[in-house]
Amino acid sequence: MINWFKWLVLSVLALLFLTVLGLYISLRMSLPALDGNSATYHVNAPTELSRDELGQAVIKANDIFDAAYALGFAHAQDRFFQMDLQRRAASGSLSQWVGDIALDIDKKGRFHQFEKRAEAVFDNLPSKQQELLVRYAHGVNDALSEYTLPTFEYLAAGVDIKQWRPTDSILVIYSMYLDLQGSQVELDLAREALLSTFGNDVYSFITQPSNYQAALDASEIPLLEAPIPEYPASLRPITHSPEDSNDESLKQEPEDSNDESLKQEPEDATTQYSNDSDNTAIARAQYNGTELPDIGSNNWAVTGSHTTTGAGLLANDMHLGLRVPIIWYRTQLNYQESGGDVQVTGVSLPGIPGIVVGTNGHIAWGFTNANLDNVDWIELGETTATSTVTERIPLPDGEHTFEFEISSYGPVKELNGKRYALNWVAHHPFAANLGIINFGNVKNVQAAIKIGQRIAIPTQNLVIVDESGNAAWLPGGAVMERQQASFTAIKEQEAVNTPTKRASKLPMVLNPDMGRIWTANARVISADDFKVWGDGGYALGARGQQIRDRLFEKDTFTETDFYAIQLDNHARFLIPWQHLLYGLLNMQDIEFKPDLAYLNTWNECACEDSVGYTLVKHFRQEVVQTLFGGVLSTLDQQGVNSRTLLRGIEPAVWQLIHSQPDSWLPNDTESFDELLVDAYRRAKHKLLDKYSPVEANMETLAWGKVNALSVKHPFADQIPLVGDMLNMQQVEGFGDTYMPAVQAPSFGASERLFVSPGHLEDAILTLPGGQSGHPLSKFFTTGFNDYATHAATPLLPSQPIRSRTFYKKEVE
């Protein structure tokens, strides 16, 4: 018996060893060849692709076309899995890979018909841009042809690798539209649902302007101080214990992005209906009030009058989902154009040729999400003709049929018995191009502005500086022409009379007298321009205000000074909430004596050791849920995403707290003080249930633990034993929303760039992960430690340690 058991154990261990060995050998065989020479028909002259100790790709080519080929080759070697995810998300073909768990994402891509639109965009591109995409695709496919075995993602899923097409790069641009403007599409429909369901009084109250405004010209939209409406009787919220929140049918994932890392697990949400003595339905709502992350970025700049060198200085950090592999790819392109040498250094996006954010030594540029209004939902007439589109979405073991209506204005959704057609800038041929490549050859801000006015990407706040000390801001990307802004659906007659075209006259700021420029996803345009270009989902503005104020604390700045601003985690926005909570609990200090101690030492920051910060943040969130959960849950049941409305909820929340109207009190609550204290109890209860269910130890609620940075591979949780090896090391988190240092566990600064043209030896580029997506690559984690410890990684590459050269193959 003992011998039998021993041999069984040994056999299992041997089988496990052979499995691990086989996996390791397979992984080794899928590593790309980073050294050597090869011949190809797709370069015109010898082209070198080298990598430094970080894995940064350094390309030396005769022209931009050969550079595009080598960049495609490098992207495919290090990041093809990422590229494949991007094109599949936009085209609506992820389910073929991962099953019906991705059907909702695929339906989005199919609803927007991006695959067909990519063909139309490609056909309308200038011939130079078409050739760049063709050459880039050749580079990608030549790298794929060298695979001895596919990478582990394909082996695990049992999916074949498909070749890259030139139009797939357009799909990658569309995937960024989904990331950066997807919530805009949902916002206008949510506003329409709010208005049509609850009327203008509730609509005006919830969407009123705030005092968190930091426009570049200091103009302000007048505060509304909207009258507080009566709370709808059928939706009167009532407080209840967290144990009541167990209705699985209303647990929903946010739909802000096709990026899986942004789909956060919501807290429990319940809506139950019962009859009171008047037989009126009462919504008992514990709404999932998790706010949308501030998708976009920070960037700011100063003119040469505020630097020691006289050159402009730029900071840029784009806030996106963080996962393995990371979204950006360190790149330097060297080539000749118009008789001169061009060197562009920065980050590229795997799937697209060119540098997205960076510097050519003469200028430097960066982006944040501009949030100008680029969406119209058009209320169709009862007799307006539509047709049915049937999409067949492949699954691993079959297919799913998805049908939707389409009109001459765009695809159609139904809301409360009415049909609405979507007119979105992404649906038009002018939405995408490769104009960004032309930044490589310009020498000053004035010339760069002309380039910026012609690029076609999701509309960004484009900030540019040059070595002569100039600085400028403008909306860079495709914007729909407007006569005036619209915030809810427009009537069909308005659409008939205003055919869609690209805007040609947009606002711009060049060398402001104050010598400073800042953007942070909130409104930076003037109040007058706001009437024309509207609100596509601006951030609240607190973050922009904090950056602006930091820029006026000094007269002269260096790259290190800018880094300090980017890491600013001062909790200025939450200070009034801390004061409110402390005052409430202080009246019941026996029950809350430990809590008061944590609130006293919260240090006004989203710091790693601050328990008080965690308590204040979740108190605010629970108050918002308590007050507005019933209204917003009702909208969600109509098929809209009410979370998009939460970015502007702050004025209404404080108006209720200050005025304390009885109609907004839950049925079983006597005062607003009771409502607020009960909200705190629930918030604390939820936190302890999650982080310390046995001991109820409040030390486990330190913000660094609650907000721990966790950059994970999408497949890590599905691979037993070794899956965690695919992730970056988890580190204590800091920073949060509403402050410059934006960070959630899997969301935050996707790059940190500080650069002054002409002084690149001091430039910094720090990324939250390595260059390669291959877990056995030397470059899998390189750079992450600098990001986690807030160190300064140089922008410029170091000496190459790996190198390949591509020679032109002669036609036989």
Side-chain angles (χ1 to χ4, degrees):
M1 181 67 178
I2 295 176
N3 286 337
W4 175 85
F5 182 75
K6 180 178 72 174
W7 283 108
L8 177 62
V9 171
L10 290 174
S11 298
V12 170
L13 290 175
L15 182 61
L16 180 61
F17 172 77
L18 290 174
T19 301
V20 172
L21 180 63
L23 177 63
Y24 177 79
I25 292 172
S26 297
L27 286 173
R28 292 292 302 178
M29 292 178 68
S30 63
L31 279 169
L34 304 185
D35 295 299
N37 301 327
S38 55
T40 176
Y41 294 117
H42 306 303
V43 297
N44 295 320
T47 301
E48 181 182 314
L49 165 61
S50 62
R51 290 172 171 87
D52 71 356
E53 61 185 8
L54 287 175
Q56 180 166 357
V58 180
I59 293 167
K60 296 180 180 178
N62 183 62
D63 58 31
I64 194 171
F65 302 106
D66 286 357
Y69 170 88
L71 184 58
F73 197 96
H75 282 166
Q77 284 191 313
D78 289 330
R79 300 286 191 85
F80 187 74
F81 165 67
Q82 172 191 349
M83 297 163 61
D84 206 356
L85 282 181
Q86 299 276 91
R87 67 170 170 179
R88 285 176 178 269
S91 65
S93 55
L94 272 174
S95 299
Q96 186 177 16
W97 193 349
V98 299
D100 57 12
I101 193 174
L103 273 176
D104 286 344
I105 300 173
D106 282 350
K107 288 177 182 178
K108 281 187 179 182
R110 301 298 176 109
F111 181 76
H112 297 299
Q113 299 184 299
F114 280 142
E115 188 144 25
K116 183 176 73 173
R117 298 185 195 282
E119 300 282 351
V121 166
F122 181 83
D123 290 342
N124 283 283
L125 289 176
S127 58
K128 176 183 178 180
Q129 295 184 24
Q130 289 181 336
E131 177 62 18
L132 279 172
L133 291 177
V134 169
R135 295 283 282 278
Y136 178 85
H138 281 311
V140 172
N141 293 326
D142 280 358
L144 296 180
S145 70
E146 292 188 355
Y147 278 14
T148 304
L149 279 179
T151 56
F152 75 93
E153 296 94 347
Y154 295 90
L155 293 173
V159 176
D160 293 332
I161 291 178
K162 292 185 177 181
Q163 292 235 312
W164 193 261
R165 303 166 300 175
T167 52
D168 288 339
S169 293
I170 307 298
L171 289 174
V172 172
I173 296 176
Y174 283 139
S175 77
M176 297 308 294
Y177 266 101
L178 288 169
D179 268 348
L180 299 173
Q181 290 188 4
S183 62
Q184 292 187 22
V185 172
E186 296 171 328
L187 174 60
D188 274 16
L189 204 59
R191 288 174 180 150
E192 177 66 21
L194 178 66
L195 179 62
S196 62
T197 303
F198 295 107
N200 189 65
D201 288 348
V202 172
Y203 173 84
S204 297
F205 177 61
I206 287 179
T207 61
Q208 61 184 301
S210 80
N211 60 350
Y212 292 100
Q213 302 186 43
L216 291 177
D217 71 343
S219 62
E220 295 189 357
I221 298 170
L223 300 182
L224 186 60
E225 281 295 319
I228 299 175
E230 289 290 311
Y231 195 90
S234 62
L235 298 177
R236 288 179 58 81
I238 70 170
T239 57
H240 53 85
S241 65
E243 287 78 7
D244 293 333
S245 300
N246 55 13
D247 186 345
E248 294 295 320
S249 66
L250 283 177
K251 288 191 178 179
Q252 52 187 320
E253 288 190 341
E255 298 177 352
D256 15 314
S257 170
N258 66 305
D259 185 343
E260 289 297 298
S261 66
L262 287 181
K263 296 198 171 184
Q264 307 163 9
E265 183 66 20
E267 296 182 22
D268 291 346
T270 299
T271 302
Q272 300 173 330
Y273 294 91
S274 61
N275 294 328
D276 64 10
S277 57
D278 297 320
N279 201 31
T280 303
I282 300 176
R284 302 191 178 195
Q286 187 66 23
Y287 175 70
N288 168 35
T290 305
E291 290 173 276
L292 287 170
D294 273 342
I295 293 179
S297 320
N298 299 327
N299 68 1
W300 61 89
V302 294
T303 60
S305 59
H306 296 285
T307 67
T308 58
T309 63
L313 181 60
L314 171 76
N316 197 83
D317 63 312
M318 296 178 278
H319 301 155
L320 292 166
L322 304 180
R323 67 182 182 193
V324 177
I326 56 176
I327 188 168
W328 305 116
Y329 186 81
R330 302 179 69 99
T331 306
Q332 183 181 87
L333 302 179
N334 299 270
Y335 56 91
Q336 286 77 47
E337 189 167 87
S338 302
D341 292 335
V342 176
Q343 181 183 88
V344 194
T345 311
V347 293
S348 58
L349 177 62
I352 302 175
I355 302 295
V356 176
V357 164
T359 179
N360 67 5
H362 303 287
I363 68 164
W365 68 95
F367 293 119
T368 76
N369 213 19
N371 291 322
L372 301 185
D373 184 17
N374 266 308
V375 172
D376 284 324
W377 284 98
I378 301 163
E379 183 182 335
L380 301 179
E382 292 184 3
T383 60
T384 302
T386 63
S387 58
T388 301
V389 174
T390 301
E391 293 282 343
R392 303 189 185 280
I393 303 173
L395 296 167
D397 54 357
E399 67 177 19
H400 175 84
T401 300
F402 171 52
E403 292 186 346
F404 61 94
E405 296 298 300
I406 192 166
S407 72
S408 59
Y409 306 104
V412 176
K413 282 191 174 182
E414 187 172 310
L415 176 66
N416 292 337
K418 294 182 179 180
R419 297 174 304 159
Y420 297 88
L422 174 62
N423 179 25
W424 180 20
V425 66
H427 292 170
H428 298 281
F430 61 76
N433 66 29
L434 293 184
I436 199 168
I437 63 170
N438 296 317
F439 281 135
N441 202 32
V442 298
K443 300 295 194 294
N444 55 58
V445 160
Q446 289 81 357
I449 288 172
K450 295 178 181 178
I451 302 296
Q453 291 169 334
R454 296 193 294 269
I455 63 175
I457 56 175
T459 315
Q460 300 291 293
N461 291 306
L462 170 58
V463 175
I464 317 166
V465 298
D466 67 23
E467 58 187 330
S468 298
N470 300 299
W473 163 86
L474 69 154
V479 181
M480 294 197 298
E481 184 65 72
R482 299 278 183 196
Q483 298 302 313
Q484 67 177 37
S486 64
F487 298 89
T488 56
I490 64 174
K491 300 297 184 182
E492 185 174 352
Q493 190 58 37
E494 294 180 56
V496 170
N497 295 330
T498 54
T500 301
K501 61 180 181 179
R502 180 170 180 171
S504 58
K505 295 182 179 179
L506 289 163
M508 187 264 292
V509 173
L510 173 63
N511 292 334
D513 292 341
M514 57 191 168
R516 298 163 174 87
I517 291 172
W518 58 88
T519 83
N521 318 121
R523 177 180 67 89
V524 294
I525 59 176
S526 70
D528 287 338
D529 285 333
F530 177 80
K531 298 173 184 176
V532 177
W533 305 110
D535 177 3
Y538 290 129
L540 177 67
R543 180 159 46 95
Q545 278 190 348
Q546 199 158 324
I547 292 170
R548 176 201 63 191
D549 294 348
R550 293 288 185 248
L551 288 173
F552 281 94
E553 290 177 350
K554 296 187 66 173
D555 288 328
T556 304
F557 296 88
T558 65
E559 290 83 353
T560 303
D561 296 324
F562 271 17
Y563 207 151
I565 296 175
Q566 205 169 82
L567 298 176
D568 177 16
N569 63 353
H570 181 223
R572 189 164 72 175
F573 170 77
L574 284 182
I575 289 174
W577 286 96
Q578 190 269 351
H579 289 169
L580 172 66
L581 180 57
Y582 189 89
L584 289 165
L585 302 190
N586 198 39
M587 292 187 293
Q588 305 178 50
D589 64 333
I590 296 176
E591 178 185 355
F592 297 113
K593 189 172 183 179
D595 311 61
L596 289 165
Y598 287 117
L599 292 174
N600 251 330
T601 57
W602 79 307
N603 293 325
E604 294 187 357
C605 69
C607 297
E608 292 92 331
D609 60 352
S610 180
V611 173
Y613 182 87
T614 305
L615 298 177
V616 174
K617 175 188 172 66
H618 285 262
F619 165 64
R620 175 187 176 272
Q621 181 172 297
E622 192 68 26
V623 170
V624 172
Q625 291 180 4
T626 301
L627 292 172
F628 294 96
V631 171
L632 300 179
S633 291
T634 302
L635 302 184
D636 286 340
Q637 292 166 29
Q638 298 170 9
V640 303
N641 181 7
S642 69
R643 286 178 65 219
T644 56
L645 298 168
L646 287 171
R647 283 179 175 162
I649 206 74
E650 195 74 1
V653 177
W654 279 106
Q655 204 169 336
L656 289 173
I657 291 171
H658 290 145
S659 299
Q660 302 189 358
D662 289 342
S663 73
W664 283 76
L665 282 175
N667 289 342
D668 57 355
T669 305
E670 295 183 358
S671 69
F672 255 80
D673 280 1
E674 181 184 341
L675 178 152
L676 295 170
V677 173
D678 283 348
Y680 173 72
R681 287 192 183 100
R682 286 194 303 276
K684 177 182 170 182
H685 186 99
K686 290 177 181 179
L687 284 165
L688 290 173
D689 274 358
K690 182 174 182 179
Y691 296 102
S692 185
V694 178
E695 296 88 357
N697 180 7
M698 291 186 68
E699 288 294 323
T700 63
L701 305 185
W703 184 240
K705 297 181 176 68
V706 171
N707 197 41
L709 179 64
S710 182
V711 183
K712 303 178 68 174
H713 191 285
F715 286 7
D717 292 338
Q718 283 71 51
I719 300 177
L721 301 179
V722 296
D724 195 52
M725 295 173 61
L726 302 176
N727 303 328
M728 298 295 109
Q729 179 184 358
Q730 189 175 86
V731 296
E732 286 196 346
F734 86 113
D736 192 18
T737 312
Y738 303 123
M739 58 185 61
V742 168
Q743 192 219 294
S746 58
F747 180 84
S750 60
E751 44 83 58
R752 295 172 179 149
L753 173 69
F754 313 95
V755 57
S756 179
H759 306 277
L760 303 191
E761 66 280 359
D762 298 319
I764 298 166
L765 174 62
T766 307
L767 299 181
Q771 282 283 92
S772 173
H774 197 296
L776 296 186
S777 169
K778 170 184 172 62
F779 308 123
F780 184 62
T781 62
T782 50
F784 177 75
N785 188 61
D786 280 0
Y787 182 91
T789 60
H790 312 150
T793 309
L795 167 71
L796 291 178
S798 57
Q799 290 298 312
I801 61 172
R802 310 296 294 270
S803 184
R804 284 194 66 154
T805 302
F806 306 101
Y807 294 98
K808 182 174 178 59
K809 180 186 290 187
E810 299 299 331
V811 178
E812 297 178 0

